[in-house]
Amino acid sequence: CAGYHSVCFLRCRNRLNPREQKIVKLRFGLGREQEDEMTQKEVADLLGISPSSISWLEKKIMKRLKKEISQQCGLYTSR
């Protein structure tokens, strides 16, 4: 079951645009680019934008991922 959830997450993550994918990878330590999680400030400095922009983008990305996962995999049923 865990393998299915991983595949589902990767499929949904791949529907994000490249910038959104990079933010997710860096913030949560996913993928080959980064092993450790980075703070919003660290990601912001790396991408040359403000930490508040990263915060806003992160919320937008998480909302979108939750919706994608719900539609594609049926894992979330509330809002």
Side-chain angles (χ1 to χ4, degrees):
C1 192
Y4 169 76
H5 294 141
S6 295
V7 170
C8 181
F9 170 76
L10 290 174
R11 198 173 2 150
C12 292
R13 187 188 73 190
N14 288 338
R15 294 184 63 122
L16 299 173
N17 69 45
R19 183 178 183 185
E20 292 169 335
Q21 287 183 35
K22 185 169 189 159
I23 290 169
V24 169
K25 287 177 183 179
L26 294 171
R27 278 288 288 135
F28 301 104
L30 304 173
R32 291 181 215 147
E33 289 181 34
Q34 185 70 26
E35 301 244 342
D36 296 327
E37 298 175 4
M38 294 177 76
T39 66
Q40 288 179 346
K41 181 172 180 356
E42 290 170 330
V43 175
D45 289 346
L46 186 69
L47 299 179
I49 59 177
S50 70
S52 62
S53 292
I54 290 294
S55 179
W56 180 82
L57 286 166
E58 188 177 309
K59 287 175 188 168
K60 178 182 148 199
I61 292 165
M62 291 300 118
K63 185 176 179 180
R64 188 161 161 218
L65 273 176
K66 185 176 177 180
K67 182 180 176 183
E68 287 288 335
I69 290 169
S70 176
Q71 290 174 348
Q72 299 291 320
C73 310
L75 297 178
Y76 294 109
T77 55
S78 63
R79 296 190 209 197

